[in-house]
Amino acid sequence: DAGVIQSPRHEVTEMGQEVTLRCKPISGHDYLFWYRQTMMRGLELLIYFNNNVPIDDSGMPEDRFSAKMPNASFSTLKIQPSEPRDSAVYFCASRQGRTSKETQYFGPGTRLLVL
Amino acid sequence: AQKITQTQPGMFVQEKEAVTLDCTYDTSDPSYGLFWYKQPSSGEMIFLIYQGSYDQQNATEGRYSLNFQKARKSANLVISASQLGDSAMYFCAMREDILTGGGNKLTFGTGTQLKVEL
């Protein structure tokens, strides 16, 4: 089985530009999570979905960030407009609900650099 | 208060030796799960091992074992027979309220950077 797929793997953009990060969860997983990792703040949960519905977006830093999950196999995280402080590694993760281990499997991450 | 505390920012171990990475947690929930992830320099997050709060035995997965001491609220990762490829950042994480399925957030510690030396 393919793991969680994220694209692009690397993104360099200029301040003010729109950035869209993409994620394809593992087939059959009904939870999808977006995380951000920085040296200063570590791993932070931004938002998660259950059955394509956003459940908790309390970690989304501000209105410039938005996330969607139009179907079970695709999600996007959008930053508009981007700022240098958004530079980070963004991870998508998925898991199957209510299994005994309830393990989250992470994608390879998108390294975002905003100049 | 920190929910997950990893007090060792960096650790060194000789190849083929065992190493213990510390993790303490804080929760009042009786049902929780503890996870360890490995993050090599390439950046991906790799799941290693899981321990449920009601599991009777300590979890083991190959060379990884979890020293779970519930009363002390600690869940230390033990890596036996260290290999050069074990050099990475290791994160401890917790999910609360796992029995009802209501808890979905993973809270991560700050990580321990492990370096395996020849």
Side-chain angles (χ1 to χ4, degrees):
Chain A
D1 265 347
V4 176
I5 299 172
Q6 289 186 249
S7 64
R9 294 293 305 276
H10 302 272
E11 177 82 23
V12 180
T13 190
E14 293 187 344
M15 183 173 64
Q17 296 297 306
E18 178 180 292
V19 175
T20 300
L21 310 181
R22 297 172 176 79
C23 174
K24 176 179 170 54
I26 293 172
S27 177
H29 284 192
D30 48 357
Y31 284 87
L32 184 138
F33 304 81
W34 282 101
Y35 289 87
R36 179 172 68 176
Q37 185 179 35
T38 61
M39 289 293 291
M40 291 297 294
R41 301 174 68 91
L43 268 160
E44 303 173 277
L45 176 65
L46 300 177
I47 185 171
Y48 77 90
F49 296 82
N50 177 219
N51 292 322
N52 314 337
V53 176
I55 302 300
D56 186 343
D57 65 354
S58 59
M60 295 286 261
E62 47 197 278
D63 292 346
R64 298 185 296 106
F65 286 70
S66 62
K68 293 182 180 180
M69 192 165 186
N71 57 62
S73 58
F74 184 65
S75 177
T76 60
L77 178 68
K78 189 173 292 187
I79 309 172
Q80 166 64 18
S82 58
E83 296 182 4
R85 60 192 167 121
D86 301 331
S87 298
V89 180
Y90 291 81
F91 287 103
C92 177
S94 71
R95 74 170 173 89
Q96 202 168 40
R98 306 204 180 193
T99 61
S100 59
K101 284 190 175 183
E102 299 185 14
T103 300
Q104 284 184 21
Y105 294 94
F106 283 75
T110 295
R111 292 180 180 272
L112 173 65
L113 178 61
V114 182
L115 302 173
Chain B
Q2 292 288 333
K3 290 207 171 201
I4 296 287
T5 302
Q6 295 181 254
T7 57
Q8 306 154 313
M11 288 280 287
F12 289 89
V13 65
Q14 294 283 324
E15 194 182 22
K16 301 179 185 176
E17 298 289 310
V19 62
T20 298
L21 307 183
D22 294 343
C23 173
T24 58
Y25 58 92
D26 182 27
T27 181
S28 56
D29 194 325
S31 71
Y32 52 90
L34 296 154
F35 302 78
W36 278 90
Y37 286 85
K38 172 184 177 182
Q39 186 175 39
S41 58
S42 52
E44 69 268 34
M45 293 285 286
I46 302 166
F47 165 71
L48 296 178
I49 194 166
Y50 164 84
Q51 179 82 46
S53 59
Y54 288 110
D55 292 344
Q56 294 298 312
Q57 293 186 325
N58 286 350
T60 60
E61 290 284 348
R63 294 187 298 111
Y64 304 108
S65 60
L66 207 151
N67 183 2
F68 181 46
Q69 298 187 46
K70 197 170 181 178
R72 297 181 60 187
K73 293 188 175 178
S74 74
N76 298 339
L77 176 70
V78 181
I79 306 174
S80 63
S82 298
Q83 302 171 357
L84 294 177
D86 294 333
S87 294
M89 182 74 87
Y90 289 81
F91 291 95
C92 180
M94 177 174 66
R95 179 186 300 121
E96 296 168 284
D97 191 21
I98 61 171
L99 281 184
T100 64
N104 291 301
K105 294 183 179 182
L106 264 185
T107 303
F108 284 84
T110 53
T112 295
Q113 182 71 49
L114 176 67
K115 173 76 171 173
V116 180
E117 300 174 315
L118 289 170

